[in-house]
Amino acid sequence: MILDKDLQSIQSARELVMNAKKAQHQFAKFSQEQVDKIVAHIAIEAARHAEVLAKLAHQETGFGRWQDKVLKNIFASTQVHEHIRDIKTVGIITDDSVNKIMEVGVPLGVIIALVPSTNPTSTIFYKTLIALKAGNAIIFSPHPNAKECSQQAIDVVKRAALEAGAPEGIIDGVTLLTMQATETLMKSKDISLILATGGEGMVRAAYASGTPTISGGPGNGPAFIERSANIPQAVKDIITSKTFDNGVICASEQSIIAERCIYEQVHYELLRQGAYLMNEQESDKLAAILLRPNGMINPAIVGQCALTLAQKAGFTVPEITTVLVSLQTTVSSQNPYSREKLCPVLGLYIEDDWHAACERVLELLTNEGMGHTLVIHTQNPDIVREFALEKPVYRILVNTPAALGGIGATTNISPALTLGCGALGGGSSSDNVGPMNLLNVRRVGYGVRSIEDLRQSVAVLMLAPACQPAYVSYAEPTLAAPVVLDQSVSIFEDTRFIGAAPTTSVATVNTVSSILSDDRFSSVVTPENDEINAAQVERIIKQVMGRLAS
């Protein structure tokens, strides 16, 4: 009997999970040294194939520049490995002899990794390294538009893992690509985690599967050029970032916000460095092809250079053009210049001062890209602190190309190609995802206190003198002078203790009187109350109980 492709793909997916689970059970018994040897060999082999796979990815998808994809492949293998190499992930990972706490790394199990067409080979290198470093098996589900280059990347890391001694099945990928196969993987009870990088629809499907998911999210990073910035360098960084692989990295800048007092300099630098400022008609023509009718990014413009984009939109630009820029005043879901654009196109907003720029940044991020990234170009550390304290993103980059800074290539943020957007972005993590996100931690705690210790602590608190409050209320008025008042009012009738609000001056006087008449609140030192002892405590208790009984 011949099965159709969908049924075959489902069966194949089930077999992948079964083999991966078996391999992971073996791999979980490997020592840190064995794991590190395998991970190092994979990184070396991946880097060796960086150029070949970059060219293949560009040829198959038509996205970006193959030269930049080489750098991404090197980054995802060599730089990621350098960062994770010395991290302890196997067995006892911390042992605090002072506080008597021990932590043990526990692999999650089998991970499903969704691969985007924008980074179809570098993502495989990166996710393989962090998954195996944490003791897991990994199964890849490539994007159908990049299946050939992704499959070759999977073959490279599979072969390298086996050469270094990993069990068969520890790394694999779906070859019969269907939605049914991916759904089978995501919903399998033997899958511990989905590591999702890709389109918004696929990420939503991952979360809806019921399997724990860590994901990236859409970016819409604003780039704020503040008046103290080195403007030529700021513009250079933005153009460098936006033209790197033709803008397919989600951390790349999507808009420029400039203060009005420096706009002439910003405008001059944009033109000098190859930016083309479109007129209104050209902006409208390009806007018409940036999004699909359903409001999603048009795949035909993703990763295309500025010349190609202008040609597709129906106008011409100089051969030296690096990015296309559109002057904007509005933000909305229908305005593509205020949304994520995975190509060298930027919106440009001019604001009166940094306060207005802050509002524009918030408006852009609320429109799209919550939790992801923004970049500031400034020499003023106070501006950085203001943005860091309030802006709804988890990556704030300063004086660097955002595409490269966000992934940790030009900053010391953890190198990663899955950039979490946290709860703000509908995700489960705000991290640049690494191996520590892909394991659980078993904690061992030694007893350091007895129940008698706890009871003694409570007793000390209960016996603390009432005349020494734990805090001072600076809003409480001070008394101008002692007043002789009615001493018949008990402290238990004091409005402060029974919740009644003071109403008249008489009530206030009576309240103060009760405080002054109770010797526990007295500031006068006598032989009887100069220190707290058992007799003193017993006397106070009898006094209070006597009042209650009267």
Side-chain angles (χ1 to χ4, degrees), residues 350-470:
I350 307 167
E351 305 299 338
D352 289 336
D353 53 31
W354 78 269
H355 296 283
C358 277
E359 293 302 317
R360 183 66 76 183
V361 165
L362 286 171
E363 189 178 12
L364 286 162
L365 291 170
T366 302
N367 190 47
E368 189 173 37
M370 288 277 278
H372 208 291
T373 303
L374 72 83
V375 59
I376 311 167
H377 294 275
T378 182
Q379 303 300 318
N380 186 341
D382 292 332
I383 295 291
V384 176
R385 282 192 288 270
E386 288 289 338
F387 273 67
L389 289 170
E390 296 186 1
K391 297 302 172 283
V393 294
Y394 296 113
R395 281 158 218 88
I396 295 180
L397 312 171
V398 182
N399 301 332
T400 191
L404 301 171
I407 65 173
T410 60
T411 64
N412 284 328
I413 294 175
S414 298
L417 291 177
T418 297
L419 311 182
C421 295
L424 288 172
S428 58
S429 174
S430 60
D431 291 344
N432 278 25
V433 177
M436 298 307 290
N437 298 100
L438 305 184
L439 57 76
N440 289 321
V441 177
R442 179 184 299 129
R443 290 175 174 83
V444 179
Y446 289 81
V448 295
R449 286 175 293 276
S450 68
I451 190 168
E452 287 76 15
D453 295 329
L454 300 178
R455 286 170 177 161
Q456 185 176 0
S457 298
V458 172
V460 169
L461 290 174
M462 294 295 288
L463 295 176
C467 58
Q468 297 177 5

Side-chain angles (χ1 to χ4, degrees), residues 276-517:
Y276 181 83
L277 272 70
M278 297 177 286
N279 59 36
E280 187 175 350
Q281 292 74 28
E282 292 166 337
S283 291
D284 290 343
K285 287 181 178 180
L286 183 60
I289 67 169
L290 289 176
L291 301 177
R292 287 173 164 177
N294 64 0
M296 304 299 288
I297 294 176
N298 178 7
I301 60 91
V302 173
Q304 305 303 310
C305 68
L307 296 177
T308 300
L309 291 169
Q311 184 180 17
K312 285 179 178 289
F315 60 93
T316 58
V317 295
E319 291 288 328
I320 63 167
T321 299
T322 53
V323 296
L324 303 176
V325 181
S326 177
L327 189 62
Q328 294 292 307
T329 58
T330 64
V331 174
S332 74
S333 59
Q334 289 76 41
N335 179 0
Y337 295 108
S338 63
R339 293 186 55 190
E340 183 180 48
K341 303 164 286 296
L342 298 179
C343 57
V345 174
L346 290 159
L348 174 60
Y349 295 86
I350 307 167
E351 305 299 338
D352 289 336
D353 53 31
W354 78 269
H355 296 283
C358 277
E359 293 302 317
R360 183 66 76 183
V361 165
L362 286 171
E363 189 178 12
L364 286 162
L365 291 170
T366 302
N367 190 47
E368 189 173 37
M370 288 277 278
H372 208 291
T373 303
L374 72 83
V375 59
I376 311 167
H377 294 275
T378 182
Q379 303 300 318
N380 186 341
D382 292 332
I383 295 291
V384 176
R385 282 192 288 270
E386 288 289 338
F387 273 67
L389 289 170
E390 296 186 1
K391 297 302 172 283
V393 294
Y394 296 113
R395 281 158 218 88
I396 295 180
L397 312 171
V398 182
N399 301 332
T400 191
L404 301 171
I407 65 173
T410 60
T411 64
N412 284 328
I413 294 175
S414 298
L417 291 177
T418 297
L419 311 182
C421 295
L424 288 172
S428 58
S429 174
S430 60
D431 291 344
N432 278 25
V433 177
M436 298 307 290
N437 298 100
L438 305 184
L439 57 76
N440 289 321
V441 177
R442 179 184 299 129
R443 290 175 174 83
V444 179
Y446 289 81
V448 295
R449 286 175 293 276
S450 68
I451 190 168
E452 287 76 15
D453 295 329
L454 300 178
R455 286 170 177 161
Q456 185 176 0
S457 298
V458 172
V460 169
L461 290 174
M462 294 295 288
L463 295 176
C467 58
Q468 297 177 5
Y471 70 94
V472 176
S473 174
Y474 294 100
E476 186 176 344
T478 57
L479 297 177
V483 182
V484 179
L485 302 170
D486 181 8
Q487 298 185 9
S488 64
V489 179
S490 166
I491 189 172
F492 296 99
E493 297 171 351
D494 191 309
T495 55
R496 297 177 307 153
F497 295 85
I498 62 174
T503 53
T504 66
S505 59
V506 173
T508 304
V509 167
N510 286 339
T511 298
V512 176
S513 171
S514 67
I515 297 172
L516 294 177
S517 65

Side-chain angles (χ1 to χ4, degrees), residues 24 29 33 111 144 180 278 292 306 308 405 476 539:
Q24 197 277 327
K29 299 174 183 177
E33 184 181 4
I111 294 173
Q180 289 80 1
M278 297 177 286
R292 287 173 164 177
T308 300
E476 186 176 344
R539 184 185 64 77

Side-chain angles (χ1 to χ4, degrees), residues 94-102:
T94 64
D95 190 358
D96 185 344
S97 59
V98 175
N99 293 301
K100 302 291 187 180
I101 289 284
M102 182 189 298

